[in-house]
């Protein structure tokens, strides 16, 4: 049977992947997250390796984030044109990895410490972003390509989540417990060693991903629903944004959640919560370590829920749960602030247990939302095909990524502007600062209020989206019928 879904005797036959194929393609997370880990040290690479001042590094990284957002939708045009006997996806994955590998080897090793300055560094970082776009945006199309079975799509997302969690944790342990003591801090030697570790781990992930996707990386799996073949045009991308209602809802949901998440993860906000309010800067590290296994387990819970209820229902229901847990968390902190001392969380075991439990439950609920979101993007891609759009998954993912990154790029500005309102104009919060009412309430707004707002936006957006479990069954039926008609017409 063809890899495409078909109707046999009136019954829809879904396209499915084998378990080993899902696991192998999920190792693409080894590539993305290993490079993500390495570029987290970009400021040290710029300063130590290229002599760029710390203040200038911030401006460079902001520029590159905007450039990154712009390149994402442009990949769709490359994706449309690449058709070789070695496939489409594998060629783009390998090409992206090679470009990234060259760029980081220059940034962290071959060109570092050689007297090159800001122009060389910006040029290399731009090259890296081009490679990252080729790899990352292509990898996002693998899930929809491999399966359109609503019961299997959440499993694809869970497999990727496992690698996305384990890879950066493992690399952090190796880098900071083995390599850093050996090389004495953020030295050129340490950066070079971390770079080679990234190259090695990502190469393994690349090979496994290409093996896993090979059975699906065939021209027939990129067919549209019409016999006529047309090249992608810019107006097609604008049409997707204008007329794909589920995508519009997903963008509103994702952008509001993303900016809230990134604001909350800013170091200045984390310092106010952990250092000033709780009085223990190490508590977030403890939570990350303790919560690793529960978070992965929650990802499986979310996948099981999505298999039974559908992806939209999963997103909506777990958003309600996140809102409830976060409301309880705000009440917990407010009660301690008004009637006791929030720093007791770090010294009184029962209070620490309550705080950690609330955080674990919140993170677990977020993981369940992620399981729904990952599969829901695949549903949106198929909805676009049913709507009559060209079957180029990178169009949908690229349009979403462009808006998502532009919106979320304002997170640092939001955080710094907010703390300026409570007096931090020339300085930044320090763990030794006294706890004031302004610090407490602003932290509550940034850490918990913004996510609440993001989840409410999601609930509102999903009320305008009809792409539930039952609707997706009909979408897949129509796609199978249209593809059969197109093949007969050809």
């Amino acid at each position: 049977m063809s890899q495409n879904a078909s109707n046999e005797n009136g019954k829809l036959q879904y396209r499915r992947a084998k378990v080993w194929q899902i696991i192998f393609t999920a190792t693409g997370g080894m590539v993305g997250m290993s490079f993500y880990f390495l570029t987290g040290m970009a400021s040290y690479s710029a300063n130590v390796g290229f002599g760029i001042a710390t203040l200038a590094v911030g401006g460079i990284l902001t520029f590159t984030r905007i450039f990154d957002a712009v390149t994402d939708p442009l990949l769709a045009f490359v994706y449309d044109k690449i058709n070789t006997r070695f496939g489409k996806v594998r060629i783009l994955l390998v090409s992206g990895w090679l470009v990234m590998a060259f760029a980081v080897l220059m940034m962290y090793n071959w060109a570092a410490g050689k007297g090159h300055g800001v122009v060389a560094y910006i040029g290399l970082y731009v090259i890296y972003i081009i490679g990252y776009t080729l790899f990352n945006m292509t990898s996002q199309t693998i899930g929809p390509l491999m399966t359109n079975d609503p019961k299997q799509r959440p499993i694809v997302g869970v497999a990727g989540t496992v690698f996305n969690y384990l890879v950066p944790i493992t690399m952090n342990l190796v880098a900071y417990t083995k390599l850093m003591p050996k090389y004495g801090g953020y030295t050129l030697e340490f950066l070079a060693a971390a770079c080679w570790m990234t190259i090695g781990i990502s190469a393994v992930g690349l090979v496994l991903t290409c093996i896993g996707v090979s059975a699906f990386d065939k021209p027939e799996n990129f067919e549209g629903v019409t016999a006529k073949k047309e090249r992608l045009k810019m107006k097609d991308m604008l049409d997707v944004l204008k007329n794909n209602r589920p995508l519009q809802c997903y963008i509103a949901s994702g952008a509001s959640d993303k900016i809230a998440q990134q604001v909350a993860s800013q170091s200045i906000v984390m310092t106010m919560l952990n250092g000033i309010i709780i009085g223990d800067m190490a508590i977030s590290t403890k939570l990350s370590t303790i919560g690793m296994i529960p978070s992965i387990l929650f990802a499986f819970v979310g996948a099981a829920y999505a298999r039974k209820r559908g992806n939209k229902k999963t997103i909506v229901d777990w958003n309600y749960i996140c809102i409830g847990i976060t409301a309880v968390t705000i009440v917990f902190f407010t009660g301690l602030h008004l009637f006791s001392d929030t720093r007791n969380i770090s010294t009184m075991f029962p209070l620490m247990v309550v705080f950690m439990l609330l955080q674990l439950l919140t993170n677990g609920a977020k993981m369940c939302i992620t399981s729904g979101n990952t599969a829901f993007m695949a549903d949106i891609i198929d909805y676009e095909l049913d709507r009559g759009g060209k079957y180029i998954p990178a169009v949908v993912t690229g349009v979403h990524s462009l808006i998502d990154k532009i919106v979320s790029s304002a997170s640092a500005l939001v955080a710094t502007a907010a703390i300026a309102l409570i007096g931090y104009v020339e300085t930044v919060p320090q763990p030794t600062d006294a706890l004031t009412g302004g610090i407490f309430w602003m932290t509550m707004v940034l850490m918990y209020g913004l996510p609440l707002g993001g989840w409410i936006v999601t609930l509102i957006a999903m009320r305008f989206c009809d792409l539930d479990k039952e609707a997706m069954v009909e979408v897949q039926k129509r796609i199978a019928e249209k593809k059969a008609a197109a093949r007969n017409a050809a």
Side-chain angles (χ1 to χ4, degrees):
M1 187 178 72
S2 168
Q3 295 288 347
N4 291 311
S6 61
N7 274 309
E8 293 185 4
N9 299 322
K11 184 178 180 180
L12 182 64
Q13 304 294 312
Y14 287 112
R15 181 176 67 251
R16 291 179 58 86
K18 296 180 175 65
V19 174
W20 73 266
Q21 292 171 324
I22 292 175
I23 295 174
F24 272 39
T25 55
T27 60
M30 294 172 65
V31 182
M33 295 309 296
S34 57
F35 279 101
Y36 180 80
F37 158 80
L38 185 65
T39 55
M41 296 184 284
S43 58
Y44 293 100
S45 171
N47 184 259
V48 177
F50 290 80
I52 302 173
T54 303
L55 185 61
V57 172
I60 293 172
L61 296 180
T62 299
F63 161 75
T64 54
R65 277 195 293 268
I66 296 173
F67 179 75
D68 184 20
V70 172
T71 57
D72 286 350
L74 297 181
L75 173 73
F77 293 93
V78 179
Y79 197 96
D80 181 35
K81 294 181 182 298
I82 297 296
N83 287 290
T84 74
R85 64 190 183 96
F86 299 106
K88 177 195 295 281
V89 172
R90 287 168 292 175
I91 291 295
L92 289 170
L93 291 178
V94 172
S95 299
W97 183 86
L98 288 172
V99 174
M100 285 192 295
F102 167 77
V104 298
L105 282 169
M106 292 292 289
M107 292 164 61
Y108 290 82
N109 192 1
W110 296 337
K114 301 295 192 300
H116 303 294
V118 63
V119 175
Y121 187 81
I122 292 175
L124 291 171
Y125 209 108
V126 166
I127 292 173
Y128 166 77
I129 287 173
I130 292 172
Y132 181 78
T133 297
L134 283 172
F135 183 90
N136 185 54
M137 298 306 296
T138 300
S139 66
Q140 290 186 35
T141 70
I142 293 177
L145 179 66
M146 291 177 61
T147 178
N148 62 353
D149 187 338
K151 291 187 176 182
Q152 193 175 58
R153 275 183 168 170
I155 302 301
V156 175
V158 168
T161 299
V162 171
F163 284 99
N164 288 346
Y165 255 76
L166 294 181
V167 170
I169 290 174
T170 302
M171 294 185 73
N172 270 290
L173 286 173
V174 174
Y176 295 115
T177 63
K178 300 295 182 182
L179 298 181
M180 183 166 282
K182 179 179 179 180
Y183 295 109
Y186 288 100
T187 62
L188 288 175
E189 293 77 14
F190 167 76
L191 294 173
C195 180
W196 281 113
M197 177 174 67
T198 295
I199 297 298
I201 292 175
S202 64
V204 174
L206 174 69
V207 172
L208 293 177
T209 301
C210 288
I211 294 173
V213 78
S214 60
F216 304 91
D217 193 12
K218 298 176 180 178
E220 60 264 29
N221 288 329
F222 297 95
E223 293 175 349
V225 294
T226 61
K228 185 179 181 181
K229 307 297 182 183
E230 296 181 353
R231 287 296 184 185
L232 178 69
K233 301 180 181 65
M234 184 60 71
K235 68 177 183 180
D236 297 318
M237 303 190 76
L238 296 176
D239 175 70
V240 170
L241 181 59
K242 180 180 178 182
N243 296 311
N244 190 317
R245 174 58 65 84
L247 178 60
Q248 294 170 351
C249 297
Y250 188 79
I251 287 174
S253 168
S256 59
D257 288 344
K258 187 73 170 288
I259 192 169
Q261 174 187 337
Q262 292 199 353
V263 168
S265 65
Q266 293 292 313
S267 59
I268 52 178
V269 180
M270 297 297 292
T271 297
M272 290 195 297
L273 177 68
N274 298 323
I276 301 176
I277 294 178
I278 298 177
D280 182 2
M281 280 299 295
I283 198 167
S284 61
T285 303
K286 298 174 186 175
L287 275 172
S288 298
T289 304
I290 296 172
M292 181 179 67
I293 299 301
S295 293
I296 293 176
L297 293 177
F298 265 107
F300 284 96
V301 171
Y305 197 91
R307 283 165 58 89
K308 183 176 181 179
R309 303 278 184 163
N311 301 317
K312 176 191 169 182
K313 181 70 171 173
T314 298
I315 294 170
V316 171
D317 289 353
W318 286 95
N319 264 268
Y320 276 117
I321 293 172
C322 277
I323 289 174
I325 298 171
T326 302
V328 172
T329 303
I330 294 174
V331 171
F332 170 71
F333 272 106
T334 302
L336 287 176
H337 178 64
L338 296 178
F339 306 108
S340 181
D341 187 350
T342 55
R343 288 178 175 257
N344 288 336
I345 295 173
S346 62
T347 58
M348 298 177 64
F349 184 71
L351 291 177
M352 180 176 288
V353 170
V354 171
F355 171 66
M356 288 190 169
L357 181 61
L358 288 170
Q359 294 298 103
L360 289 175
L361 290 174
T362 303
N363 292 337
K366 289 178 181 178
M367 289 300 298
C368 292
I369 294 174
T370 299
S371 296
N373 276 332
T374 302
F376 194 57
M377 173 53 79
D379 290 348
I380 293 171
I381 289 172
D382 283 348
Y383 173 85
E384 177 61 24
L385 177 59
D386 177 46
R387 197 179 66 84
K390 298 180 177 65
Y391 189 50
I392 305 173
V395 172
V396 176
T397 58
V399 170
H400 165 255
S401 183
L402 169 66
I403 298 176
D404 183 75
K405 288 181 178 179
I406 289 177
V407 172
S408 62
S409 66
S411 58
L413 178 62
V414 171
T416 53
I419 66 167
L421 293 176
I422 57 174
Y424 288 100
V425 178
E426 302 295 335
T427 60
V428 293
Q430 299 294 336
T432 54
D433 291 352
L435 175 58
T436 64
I439 291 175
F440 176 82
W441 293 113
M442 185 58 75
T443 303
M444 292 297 104
V445 169
L446 298 178
M447 182 62 69
Y448 301 113
L450 287 182
L452 275 177
W455 293 322
I456 292 172
V457 169
T458 294
L459 293 177
I460 294 173
M462 288 301 162
R463 290 182 65 87
F464 295 91
C465 177
D466 297 326
L467 201 60
D468 56 16
K469 182 180 179 180
E470 292 74 21
M472 276 308 301
V473 172
E474 298 303 316
V475 166
Q476 297 296 354
K477 286 181 180 179
R478 290 194 296 269
I479 289 174
E481 292 168 355
K482 290 175 182 177
K483 283 191 172 184
R487 284 192 293 269
N488 293 334

